Amino acid sequence: MITGVLSVKSPASHGRALLALTKKGWLHFVRYPTWVVAMLFLPLVFTLQYVYVAKTFAGPQGDALAGFAAQAGTADYVSFLTIGLLIWLHLNSMLWDIGHSLRMEQMRGTLEHNWLCPVPRILLLIGGSLIHVVISLFWIALVLGQVALLFGLSLQGNLWLAALIMLVMSVAVYGFGFCFAALVLVHKEPDALTNLVQSILLVLCGTIYPISILPGPLQSVAKGFPLTWGIADLRAVLLQGRSFTDVSGNLAVLAIFAVAFPCLGYLAFRLVEGFVRRRGTLSHY
Amino acid sequence: MHTATQRCLGSELRVFGAMLKKEVLHLVRYPMWIVVAVTNPFLYLLPVLLLGSAFAVRGATPGFAAYTGVQDYVPYLLTGSVLTSYLGTALWSIGQSLRTEMLQGTLEQNWLTPTHRITMLLSRTAQSMTRTTLALIIVWAVIWWLFGFKLTANYGLAFLIILLSFLALVGVGFMFAAFVLLYKEANAVTNMLQISLPLLIGAYYPVAVLPGWLQVVAKAIPLTYGVDALRHVLVGSNTLLPLQTEVAILAAFAAFTAVAGWQCFKLVERRCRRLGNLGQY
């Protein structure tokens, strides 16, 4: 009697599917070596661009640093900007990869075939982007090293606490990514939407400046994004050496996002998926 | 009487029109791209402008003035956004549209038509360049409304500098199209150039801010003088070289890239046709 046929679903089969998807993502990534080279330099170049703008505003003798310190709580604009930009880039990568992996399968005509496999859809979404999350964490470490070499970073505080904040924030953003994937199924063309969302997050979430300089109503909107809380917490821990107790309030808010966003995202994705399957437009592009 | 396969200026213009219509239809089919074209330059510029206010001391930016010779940073940054927007469009619109056709499997069919390759390439960029120009006009108007600024402009000279930069960038776009034919997956390189070049040419800051070795690189890129000259003409900032010299360098670069870009594309295209891998991805 055959017991372990391919179509029997089990945690082990899901694990194998996740592994296979991750391997496929890795093979695809290294198949185009220009991406590997780009990943080594792009985040640094992107960060430097803003650092040099800030250096111009600071002035040759640091004439305007007092103004920045009064707003941001630190005169170390290099570390302030680097933390915000790297987290923004990391979360962008997550958002981009979830939607984009679906879109690429629509374009290549493989989406419907994968959808027929006895694998939970959510696993297909996570598997399509997991390798990029790992790569993204690697280049965060790389850029921190590169910026430290070029300018000298003064990071302090509890790194484990920083890692915990990153983890909670990433879960929340993954949930946001599920909503995004739902939009891709209906709207088809995700690149434009990704661009728009990325830019809005850059403006609102205090990536390169404290959100206190935004007008009041925009500050309220900014607080609706986990990225705002995560960046503020990471700066508090890494630049000002704040403890768990100091940031526990903000961390609790992030934890609420981390529970609510994935639930809402999954629900939205299932609803939309049912809708496009009924209409037979899953693989349309 | 012209048959469908006879090439003449009229037939090239008809193809140009048809391709432009196709590009517009494609754009309208994905309306979110129209929203992005208008909002993106604004949303990318806004954080930099807000960063400026984070450094303000009693409403003034003394550090910025010391570096640039300009008190108001808003038009200074806006001017940088003009060339970076066209740069992004030149890189994405020509090469990337070839890539899209490779993926969709329509590149070889289009290549079989008796249309001049220049028409093929220019028609792809015409829609994008027009869209970028309209977006820039809207962005300048919105920023003027939000922040208010004054230009000390010689508009005729500013137009000439923008035109020369535009021609230079189209040439760069041709080279990039050749790169796409050769290496297929060019997104990474496009991103790299789109982000690195504004950093190197000092699109949003004076080259003097860069470390010494990067200043040498910046001064070796002719587009640096395009941004520098445009900023001087529009906002009166300090220049690296006398204005006439900067415009002459830009003009020479535009002539060089237009010719070299086209030759480069022809060379690569011939190679791909010999190898039979034009439509491969």
Side-chain angles (χ1 to χ4, degrees), chain A residues 32 49 55 192 199 213 285, chain B residues 30 36 39-40 50 185 195 209:
Chain A
Y32 297 106
Q49 195 166 294
K55 192 178 168 191
S199 310
I213 65 163
Y285 64 93
Chain B
Y30 298 107
V36 168
T39 53
N40 247 10
L50 289 170
E185 168 58 61
I195 297 176
V209 171

Side-chain angles (χ1 to χ4, degrees), chain A residues 46-212:
Chain A
F46 187 79
T47 307
L48 286 184
Q49 195 166 294
Y50 287 99
V51 168
Y52 287 130
V53 174
K55 192 178 168 191
T56 311
F57 282 123
Q61 312 299 328
D63 318 46
L65 278 180
F68 183 77
Q71 300 267 14
T74 175
D76 180 6
Y77 63 86
V78 176
S79 305
F80 185 92
L81 262 68
T82 304
I83 291 173
L85 286 166
L86 286 183
I87 302 308
W88 180 79
L89 282 169
H90 172 62
L91 299 183
N92 270 341
S93 160
M94 288 171 68
L95 260 187
W96 174 272
D97 288 321
I98 294 174
H100 200 69
S101 63
L102 275 186
R103 175 68 178 162
M104 286 311 285
E105 298 217 5
Q106 279 177 341
M107 300 268 287
R108 293 181 190 129
T110 50
L111 185 66
E112 282 185 327
H113 305 85
N114 285 345
W115 236 243
L116 288 171
C117 299
V119 176
R121 307 284 180 266
I122 212 78
L123 214 60
L124 290 174
L125 287 185
I126 295 172
S129 60
L130 197 59
I131 190 67
H132 294 280
V133 175
V134 177
I135 294 166
S136 164
L137 287 172
F138 164 76
W139 58 246
I140 282 186
L142 184 75
V143 174
L144 283 176
Q146 289 166 327
V147 175
L149 272 177
L150 285 170
F151 298 97
L153 280 179
S154 55
L155 300 184
Q156 47 183 308
N158 187 339
L159 286 180
W160 290 109
L161 182 55
L164 176 70
I165 295 166
M166 277 288 286
L167 181 71
V168 178
M169 182 169 51
S170 298
V171 173
V173 173
Y174 241 102
F176 197 51
F178 295 156
C179 296
F180 211 68
L183 273 171
V184 170
L185 288 183
V186 180
H187 187 72
K188 311 298 180 191
E189 171 59 64
D191 293 2
L193 206 59
T194 314
N195 262 305
L196 194 64
V197 172
Q198 284 173 347
S199 310
I200 290 171
L201 292 179
L202 181 67
V203 173
L204 286 180
C205 296
T207 315
I208 57 171
Y209 42 74
I211 63 164
S212 58

Side-chain angles (χ1 to χ4, degrees), chain A residues 28 32 34-39 41-42 44-46 48-61 63-69 71 77 81 88 92 96 100 103-104 107-108 150 187-193 195-196 198-200 202-203 208-210 213-215 285, chain B residues 26 29-33 35-36 39-40 42-44 46-57 61-68 73 76-77 99-100 103-104 179 183-189 191-199 204-206 208-211 213-214 281:
Chain A
H28 201 259
Y32 297 106
T34 46
W35 269 120
V36 182
V37 177
M39 281 298 169
F41 295 105
L42 266 185
L44 174 70
V45 171
F46 187 79
L48 286 184
Q49 195 166 294
Y50 287 99
V51 168
Y52 287 130
V53 174
K55 192 178 168 191
T56 311
F57 282 123
Q61 312 299 328
D63 318 46
L65 278 180
F68 183 77
Q71 300 267 14
Y77 63 86
L81 262 68
W88 180 79
N92 270 341
W96 174 272
H100 200 69
R103 175 68 178 162
M104 286 311 285
M107 300 268 287
R108 293 181 190 129
L150 285 170
H187 187 72
K188 311 298 180 191
E189 171 59 64
D191 293 2
L193 206 59
N195 262 305
L196 194 64
Q198 284 173 347
S199 310
I200 290 171
L202 181 67
V203 173
I208 57 171
Y209 42 74
I213 65 163
L214 293 172
Y285 64 93
Chain B
H26 202 259
R29 177 65 190 80
Y30 298 107
M32 190 54 80
W33 274 119
V35 178
V36 168
T39 53
N40 247 10
F42 175 71
L43 287 173
Y44 270 99
L46 194 57
V48 185
L49 295 172
L50 289 170
L51 181 63
S53 61
F55 278 92
V57 181
T61 46
F64 187 84
Y67 259 126
T68 61
Y73 61 86
Y76 187 95
L77 295 171
R99 172 74 180 156
T100 306
L103 286 168
Q104 289 167 347
F179 183 85
Y183 291 101
K184 315 299 178 190
E185 168 58 61
N187 281 14
V189 182
N191 270 318
M192 215 146 53
L193 283 176
Q194 197 182 357
I195 297 176
S196 309
L197 276 176
L199 172 92
Y204 298 109
Y205 42 77
V209 171
L210 298 170
W213 62 276
L214 267 187
Y281 61 92

Side-chain angles (χ1 to χ4, degrees), chain B residues 122-187:
Chain B
L122 286 184
S123 59
R124 284 159 205 277
T125 199
Q127 178 263 115
S128 307
M129 288 293 189
T130 311
R131 193 180 60 188
T132 302
T133 306
L134 290 175
L136 279 171
I137 292 170
I138 294 171
V139 169
W140 277 66
V142 172
I143 301 277
W144 177 79
W145 177 62
L146 284 176
F147 294 88
F149 58 84
K150 279 183 186 160
L151 298 175
T152 56
N154 176 343
Y155 293 108
L157 191 52
F159 180 74
L160 175 72
I161 294 168
I162 291 173
L163 188 70
L164 288 173
S165 309
F166 183 86
L167 286 175
L169 290 172
V170 169
V172 172
F174 284 172
M175 288 182 198
F176 203 66
F179 183 85
V180 169
L181 289 185
L182 210 56
Y183 291 101
K184 315 299 178 190
E185 168 58 61
N187 281 14

Side-chain angles (χ1 to χ4, degrees), chain A residues 213-226:
Chain A
I213 65 163
L214 293 172
L218 283 185
Q219 287 185 35
S220 308
V221 178
K223 287 175 184 164
F225 295 102

